[in-house]
mmCIF file of all heavy atoms in Angstrom:
data_model
loop_
_atom_site.group_PDB
_atom_site.id
_atom_site.type_symbol
_atom_site.label_atom_id
_atom_site.label_comp_id
_atom_site.label_asym_id
_atom_site.label_seq_id
_atom_site.Cartn_x
_atom_site.Cartn_y
_atom_site.Cartn_z
ATOM 1 N N GLU M 1 108.389 117.735 -1.340
ATOM 2 C CA GLU M 1 107.759 117.294 -0.105
ATOM 3 C C GLU M 1 106.250 117.503 -0.118
ATOM 4 O O GLU M 1 105.548 117.024 0.770
ATOM 5 C CB GLU M 1 108.372 118.035 1.078
ATOM 6 C CG GLU M 1 109.862 117.763 1.279
ATOM 7 C CD GLU M 1 110.438 118.571 2.420
ATOM 8 O OE1 GLU M 1 109.712 119.420 2.970
ATOM 9 O OE2 GLU M 1 111.606 118.354 2.775
ATOM 10 N N VAL M 2 105.755 118.233 -1.122
ATOM 11 C CA VAL M 2 104.317 118.507 -1.229
ATOM 12 C C VAL M 2 103.695 117.398 -2.070
ATOM 13 O O VAL M 2 103.760 117.429 -3.305
ATOM 14 C CB VAL M 2 104.057 119.885 -1.861
ATOM 15 C CG1 VAL M 2 102.563 120.154 -1.997
ATOM 16 C CG2 VAL M 2 104.725 120.974 -1.023
ATOM 17 N N LYS M 3 103.073 116.439 -1.425
ATOM 18 C CA LYS M 3 102.603 115.237 -2.116
ATOM 19 C C LYS M 3 101.092 115.134 -2.150
ATOM 20 O O LYS M 3 100.522 114.048 -2.093
ATOM 21 C CB LYS M 3 103.229 114.001 -1.467
ATOM 22 C CG LYS M 3 104.754 113.996 -1.579
ATOM 23 C CD LYS M 3 105.385 112.801 -0.897
ATOM 24 C CE LYS M 3 106.905 112.854 -1.010
ATOM 25 N NZ LYS M 3 107.572 111.722 -0.319
ATOM 26 N N VAL M 4 100.427 116.296 -2.242
ATOM 27 C CA VAL M 4 98.973 116.317 -2.429
ATOM 28 C C VAL M 4 98.680 116.991 -3.764
ATOM 29 O O VAL M 4 99.478 117.800 -4.249
ATOM 30 C CB VAL M 4 98.270 117.068 -1.277
ATOM 31 C CG1 VAL M 4 98.591 116.422 0.064
ATOM 32 C CG2 VAL M 4 98.649 118.543 -1.268
ATOM 33 N N PRO M 5 97.563 116.660 -4.413
ATOM 34 C CA PRO M 5 97.216 117.323 -5.675
ATOM 35 C C PRO M 5 97.174 118.841 -5.492
ATOM 36 O O PRO M 5 96.545 119.344 -4.562
ATOM 37 C CB PRO M 5 95.823 116.758 -5.983
ATOM 38 C CG PRO M 5 95.785 115.443 -5.272
ATOM 39 C CD PRO M 5 96.572 115.639 -4.011
ATOM 40 N N THR M 6 97.848 119.563 -6.385
ATOM 41 C CA THR M 6 98.024 120.999 -6.205
ATOM 42 C C THR M 6 97.722 121.756 -7.486
ATOM 43 O O THR M 6 98.191 121.389 -8.566
ATOM 44 C CB THR M 6 99.465 121.318 -5.756
ATOM 45 O OG1 THR M 6 99.743 120.632 -4.530
ATOM 46 C CG2 THR M 6 99.653 122.808 -5.544
ATOM 47 N N VAL M 7 96.937 122.821 -7.356
ATOM 48 C CA VAL M 7 96.686 123.776 -8.430
ATOM 49 C C VAL M 7 97.498 125.029 -8.125
ATOM 50 O O VAL M 7 97.420 125.571 -7.014
ATOM 51 C CB VAL M 7 95.190 124.125 -8.534
ATOM 52 C CG1 VAL M 7 94.964 125.249 -9.549
ATOM 53 C CG2 VAL M 7 94.378 122.893 -8.903
ATOM 54 N N VAL M 8 98.280 125.487 -9.087
ATOM 55 C CA VAL M 8 99.121 126.674 -8.918
ATOM 56 C C VAL M 8 98.578 127.797 -9.796
ATOM 57 O O VAL M 8 98.231 127.560 -10.965
ATOM 58 C CB VAL M 8 100.590 126.372 -9.286
ATOM 59 C CG1 VAL M 8 101.451 127.630 -9.180
ATOM 60 C CG2 VAL M 8 101.148 125.262 -8.391
ATOM 61 N N VAL M 9 98.498 128.994 -9.242
ATOM 62 C CA VAL M 9 98.009 130.153 -9.992
ATOM 63 C C VAL M 9 99.084 131.240 -9.962
ATOM 64 O O VAL M 9 99.530 131.658 -8.888
ATOM 65 C CB VAL M 9 96.700 130.704 -9.400
ATOM 66 C CG1 VAL M 9 96.189 131.875 -10.250
ATOM 67 C CG2 VAL M 9 95.643 129.605 -9.304
ATOM 68 N N ALA M 10 99.492 131.691 -11.138
ATOM 69 C CA ALA M 10 100.493 132.752 -11.275
ATOM 70 C C ALA M 10 99.876 133.934 -12.009
ATOM 71 O O ALA M 10 98.925 133.777 -12.790
ATOM 72 C CB ALA M 10 101.717 132.239 -12.031
ATOM 73 N N VAL M 11 100.429 135.123 -11.773
ATOM 74 C CA VAL M 11 99.983 136.343 -12.442
ATOM 75 C C VAL M 11 101.161 136.931 -13.195
ATOM 76 O O VAL M 11 102.229 137.176 -12.616
ATOM 77 C CB VAL M 11 99.417 137.366 -11.429
ATOM 78 C CG1 VAL M 11 98.978 138.638 -12.149
ATOM 79 C CG2 VAL M 11 98.257 136.760 -10.643
ATOM 80 N N GLU M 12 100.985 137.140 -14.472
ATOM 81 C CA GLU M 12 102.073 137.599 -15.343
ATOM 82 C C GLU M 12 102.718 138.874 -14.810
ATOM 83 O O GLU M 12 103.936 139.026 -14.842
ATOM 84 C CB GLU M 12 101.520 137.832 -16.755
ATOM 85 C CG GLU M 12 102.528 138.369 -17.748
ATOM 86 C CD GLU M 12 103.549 137.314 -18.157
ATOM 87 O OE1 GLU M 12 103.167 136.129 -18.254
ATOM 88 O OE2 GLU M 12 104.715 137.681 -18.380
ATOM 89 N N GLU M 13 101.898 139.799 -14.301
ATOM 90 C CA GLU M 13 102.416 141.108 -13.884
ATOM 91 C C GLU M 13 102.843 141.158 -12.413
ATOM 92 O O GLU M 13 103.181 142.241 -11.917
ATOM 93 C CB GLU M 13 101.345 142.180 -14.152
ATOM 94 C CG GLU M 13 101.051 142.424 -15.625
ATOM 95 C CD GLU M 13 100.112 141.373 -16.241
ATOM 96 O OE1 GLU M 13 99.612 140.503 -15.481
ATOM 97 O OE2 GLU M 13 99.876 141.416 -17.454
ATOM 98 N N ASP M 14 102.822 140.050 -11.734
ATOM 99 C CA ASP M 14 103.184 140.008 -10.320
ATOM 100 C C ASP M 14 104.685 140.245 -10.159
ATOM 101 O O ASP M 14 105.504 139.460 -10.625
ATOM 102 C CB ASP M 14 102.800 138.644 -9.733
ATOM 103 C CG ASP M 14 102.899 138.596 -8.214
ATOM 104 O OD1 ASP M 14 103.616 139.430 -7.632
ATOM 105 O OD2 ASP M 14 102.255 137.717 -7.618
ATOM 106 N N ARG M 15 105.061 141.339 -9.499
ATOM 107 C CA ARG M 15 106.475 141.659 -9.318
ATOM 108 C C ARG M 15 107.049 141.054 -8.043
ATOM 109 O O ARG M 15 108.261 141.073 -7.846
ATOM 110 C CB ARG M 15 106.670 143.184 -9.307
ATOM 111 C CG ARG M 15 106.310 143.845 -10.637
ATOM 112 C CD ARG M 15 106.788 145.275 -10.673
ATOM 113 N NE ARG M 15 106.057 146.111 -9.728
ATOM 114 C CZ ARG M 15 106.440 147.337 -9.372
ATOM 115 N NH1 ARG M 15 107.554 147.842 -9.866
ATOM 116 N NH2 ARG M 15 105.718 148.039 -8.525
ATOM 117 N N LEU M 16 106.186 140.533 -7.171
ATOM 118 C CA LEU M 16 106.666 139.929 -5.933
ATOM 119 C C LEU M 16 106.888 138.431 -6.064
ATOM 120 O O LEU M 16 107.824 137.878 -5.495
ATOM 121 C CB LEU M 16 105.674 140.200 -4.794
ATOM 122 C CG LEU M 16 105.592 141.640 -4.306
ATOM 123 C CD1 LEU M 16 104.601 141.738 -3.151
ATOM 124 C CD2 LEU M 16 106.946 142.157 -3.874
ATOM 125 N N VAL M 17 105.992 137.774 -6.780
ATOM 126 C CA VAL M 17 106.103 136.323 -6.997
ATOM 127 C C VAL M 17 106.092 136.104 -8.514
ATOM 128 O O VAL M 17 105.041 135.901 -9.114
ATOM 129 C CB VAL M 17 104.955 135.560 -6.322
ATOM 130 C CG1 VAL M 17 105.175 134.056 -6.426
ATOM 131 C CG2 VAL M 17 104.826 135.963 -4.853
ATOM 132 N N PRO M 18 107.238 136.157 -9.162
ATOM 133 C CA PRO M 18 107.294 136.102 -10.625
ATOM 134 C C PRO M 18 106.736 134.797 -11.190
ATOM 135 O O PRO M 18 106.821 133.738 -10.564
ATOM 136 C CB PRO M 18 108.797 136.230 -10.926
ATOM 137 C CG PRO M 18 109.384 136.876 -9.713
ATOM 138 C CD PRO M 18 108.566 136.382 -8.562
ATOM 139 N N ARG M 19 106.202 134.917 -12.399
ATOM 140 C CA ARG M 19 105.638 133.748 -13.080
ATOM 141 C C ARG M 19 106.650 132.617 -13.162
ATOM 142 O O ARG M 19 106.310 131.450 -12.937
ATOM 143 C CB ARG M 19 105.191 134.137 -14.494
ATOM 144 C CG ARG M 19 104.663 132.965 -15.300
ATOM 145 C CD ARG M 19 104.429 133.335 -16.746
ATOM 146 N NE ARG M 19 105.687 133.613 -17.438
ATOM 147 C CZ ARG M 19 105.782 133.789 -18.755
ATOM 148 N NH1 ARG M 19 104.697 133.749 -19.497
ATOM 149 N NH2 ARG M 19 106.949 134.028 -19.312
ATOM 150 N N ALA M 20 107.905 132.935 -13.465
ATOM 151 C CA ALA M 20 108.916 131.888 -13.641
ATOM 152 C C ALA M 20 109.066 131.046 -12.381
ATOM 153 O O ALA M 20 109.274 129.825 -12.461
ATOM 154 C CB ALA M 20 110.260 132.520 -14.020
ATOM 155 N N ASP M 21 108.973 131.681 -11.207
ATOM 156 C CA ASP M 21 109.100 130.934 -9.963
ATOM 157 C C ASP M 21 107.963 129.937 -9.796
ATOM 158 O O ASP M 21 108.160 128.808 -9.308
ATOM 159 C CB ASP M 21 109.118 131.885 -8.767
ATOM 160 C CG ASP M 21 110.454 132.602 -8.621
ATOM 161 O OD1 ASP M 21 111.269 132.531 -9.556
ATOM 162 O OD2 ASP M 21 110.678 133.230 -7.567
ATOM 163 N N LEU M 22 106.753 130.337 -10.186
ATOM 164 C CA LEU M 22 105.599 129.453 -10.012
ATOM 165 C C LEU M 22 105.545 128.375 -11.095
ATOM 166 O O LEU M 22 105.052 127.275 -10.850
ATOM 167 C CB LEU M 22 104.317 130.274 -9.984
ATOM 168 C CG LEU M 22 104.220 131.220 -8.782
ATOM 169 C CD1 LEU M 22 102.882 131.954 -8.756
ATOM 170 C CD2 LEU M 22 104.433 130.470 -7.478
ATOM 171 N N VAL M 23 106.059 128.670 -12.270
ATOM 172 C CA VAL M 23 106.200 127.618 -13.280
ATOM 173 C C VAL M 23 107.174 126.556 -12.779
ATOM 174 O O VAL M 23 106.922 125.345 -12.873
ATOM 175 C CB VAL M 23 106.680 128.210 -14.622
ATOM 176 C CG1 VAL M 23 107.048 127.094 -15.601
ATOM 177 C CG2 VAL M 23 105.596 129.105 -15.228
ATOM 178 N N ALA M 24 108.297 127.021 -12.209
ATOM 179 C CA ALA M 24 109.279 126.079 -11.656
ATOM 180 C C ALA M 24 108.676 125.275 -10.512
ATOM 181 O O ALA M 24 108.943 124.067 -10.374
ATOM 182 C CB ALA M 24 110.512 126.837 -11.184
ATOM 183 N N LEU M 25 107.861 125.924 -9.671
ATOM 184 C CA LEU M 25 107.191 125.216 -8.581
ATOM 185 C C LEU M 25 106.290 124.121 -9.130
ATOM 186 O O LEU M 25 106.342 122.963 -8.685
ATOM 187 C CB LEU M 25 106.368 126.197 -7.743
ATOM 188 C CG LEU M 25 105.419 125.568 -6.716
ATOM 189 C CD1 LEU M 25 106.194 124.871 -5.619
ATOM 190 C CD2 LEU M 25 104.483 126.636 -6.130
ATOM 191 N N ALA M 26 105.449 124.465 -10.095
ATOM 192 C CA ALA M 26 104.520 123.488 -10.653
ATOM 193 C C ALA M 26 105.260 122.310 -11.293
ATOM 194 O O ALA M 26 104.834 121.156 -11.181
ATOM 195 C CB ALA M 26 103.604 124.159 -11.676
ATOM 196 N N GLU M 27 106.371 122.596 -11.944
ATOM 197 C CA GLU M 27 107.149 121.527 -12.581
ATOM 198 C C GLU M 27 107.800 120.604 -11.555
ATOM 199 O O GLU M 27 108.017 119.421 -11.829
ATOM 200 C CB GLU M 27 108.210 122.142 -13.481
ATOM 201 C CG GLU M 27 107.633 122.827 -14.719
ATOM 202 C CD GLU M 27 108.686 123.519 -15.552
ATOM 203 O OE1 GLU M 27 109.795 123.772 -15.030
ATOM 204 O OE2 GLU M 27 108.416 123.823 -16.734
ATOM 205 N N ALA M 28 108.080 121.145 -10.361
ATOM 206 C CA ALA M 28 108.762 120.345 -9.337
ATOM 207 C C ALA M 28 107.804 119.592 -8.428
ATOM 208 O O ALA M 28 108.216 118.652 -7.742
ATOM 209 C CB ALA M 28 109.664 121.250 -8.490
ATOM 210 N N LEU M 29 106.538 119.977 -8.409
ATOM 211 C CA LEU M 29 105.573 119.327 -7.526
ATOM 212 C C LEU M 29 105.275 117.907 -8.013
ATOM 213 O O LEU M 29 104.992 117.706 -9.197
ATOM 214 C CB LEU M 29 104.275 120.125 -7.471
ATOM 215 C CG LEU M 29 104.323 121.473 -6.745
ATOM 216 C CD1 LEU M 29 103.057 122.261 -7.017
ATOM 217 C CD2 LEU M 29 104.513 121.267 -5.241
ATOM 218 N N PRO M 30 105.281 116.934 -7.134
ATOM 219 C CA PRO M 30 105.002 115.561 -7.563
ATOM 220 C C PRO M 30 103.571 115.360 -8.066
ATOM 221 O O PRO M 30 103.328 114.494 -8.902
ATOM 222 C CB PRO M 30 105.251 114.737 -6.284
ATOM 223 C CG PRO M 30 106.103 115.597 -5.425
ATOM 224 C CD PRO M 30 105.706 117.004 -5.730
ATOM 225 N N CYS M 31 102.628 116.162 -7.530
ATOM 226 C CA CYS M 31 101.208 115.942 -7.853
ATOM 227 C C CYS M 31 100.545 117.215 -8.371
ATOM 228 O O CYS M 31 99.404 117.519 -8.012
ATOM 229 C CB CYS M 31 100.471 115.426 -6.622
ATOM 230 S SG CYS M 31 101.105 113.897 -5.922
ATOM 231 N N ALA M 32 101.253 117.975 -9.197
ATOM 232 C CA ALA M 32 100.656 119.187 -9.760
ATOM 233 C C ALA M 32 99.486 118.814 -10.655
ATOM 234 O O ALA M 32 99.606 117.985 -11.557
ATOM 235 C CB ALA M 32 101.693 119.971 -10.552
ATOM 236 N N ARG M 33 98.326 119.440 -10.422
ATOM 237 C CA ARG M 33 97.137 119.185 -11.233
ATOM 238 C C ARG M 33 97.037 120.140 -12.411
ATOM 239 O O ARG M 33 96.652 119.755 -13.512
ATOM 240 C CB ARG M 33 95.869 119.313 -10.373
ATOM 241 C CG ARG M 33 95.602 118.149 -9.444
ATOM 242 C CD ARG M 33 94.308 118.370 -8.683
ATOM 243 N NE ARG M 33 93.212 118.704 -9.579
ATOM 244 C CZ ARG M 33 92.073 119.289 -9.178
ATOM 245 N NH1 ARG M 33 91.922 119.631 -7.915
ATOM 246 N NH2 ARG M 33 91.108 119.545 -10.041
#
């Protein structure tokens, strides 16, 4: 549903928002930059 150009930033050591979740987010975004 997010249809605007998007930059995603993940932190390897982040224990609250794991890198894998943000990689999956970026892969699912229609307009990931």
Side-chain angles (χ1 to χ4, degrees):
E1 297 177 354
V2 179
K3 298 178 181 178
V4 302
T6 301
V7 173
V8 177
V9 183
V11 179
E12 177 72 35
E13 293 80 5
D14 191 339
R15 296 192 292 167
L16 290 182
V17 186
R19 177 189 67 171
D21 284 12
L22 295 183
V23 171
L25 170 67
E27 291 176 342
L29 290 169
C31 302
R33 284 182 51 199

